[in-house]
């Protein structure tokens, strides 16, 4: 459960960064809020324990449109974190620990 909580936190942070940098709004825009809500539901319903990283998962429970969106968010915000030396967040992202 702890891992899912950590992943939910990472998900939220990464979508917040993506929206702020790409959509230039202070709060989440409707599209990003929708993505976060969708990803949160998928995470809660995930049948795996321990849970693999979604990008390595063979089930791929995301609908294709959402999968594309979350991939774009993870890539963009992952790079954003690297550029700012936020290795603590990258640790969550790549290893799913926390
Ligand atoms: S893609 Fe796989 S790992 Fe990710 S939430 Fe869905 S079932 Fe779980
Ligand atoms: Zn947005």
């Amino acid at each position: 459960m702890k891992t899912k909580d950590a992943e939910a936190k990472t998900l939220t942070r990464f979508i917040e960064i993506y929206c702020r940098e790409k959509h230039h709004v202070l709060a989440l825009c409707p599209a990003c809020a929708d993505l976060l809500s969708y990803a949160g539901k998928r995470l809660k319903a995930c049948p795996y324990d321990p849970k693999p990283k979604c990008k390595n998962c063979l089930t791929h429970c995301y609908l294709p449109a959402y999968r594309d969106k979350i991939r774009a968010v993870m890539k963009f915000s992952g790079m954003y974190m690297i550029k700012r030396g936020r290795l603590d967040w990258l640790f969550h992202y790549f290893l799913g620990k926390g």
Side-chain angles (χ1 to χ4, degrees):
M1 205 52 216
K2 192 166 184 288
T3 304
K4 277 194 184 180
D5 287 347
E7 188 153 335
K9 202 172 149 195
T10 307
L11 206 51
T12 304
R13 186 74 186 115
F14 273 42
I15 292 175
E16 280 171 359
I17 288 170
Y18 183 87
C19 190
R20 191 186 68 211
E21 297 297 315
K22 292 272 197 181
H23 305 146
H24 310 290
V25 287
L26 290 177
L28 282 186
C29 76
C32 291
D34 177 56
L35 176 63
L36 179 58
S37 161
Y38 181 85
K41 280 181 202 150
R42 299 320 317 154
L43 182 60
K44 264 194 194 141
C46 180
Y48 297 107
D49 186 17
K51 182 187 165 301
K53 301 310 292 176
C54 292
K55 64 180 179 179
N56 299 329
C57 176
L58 297 178
T59 304
H60 286 308
C61 71
Y62 279 58
L63 289 172
Y66 282 105
R67 201 185 307 163
D68 290 347
K69 281 185 198 171
I70 201 73
R71 272 194 191 137
V73 166
M74 288 311 193
K75 193 173 166 199
F76 177 87
S77 295
M79 284 309 295
Y80 183 95
M81 292 294 191
I82 287 171
K83 284 182 197 153
R84 279 155 187 79
R86 292 303 306 266
L87 298 179
D88 47 342
W89 280 101
L90 291 171
F91 185 73
H92 288 301
Y93 173 47
F94 288 117
L95 300 178
K97 305 279 186 198

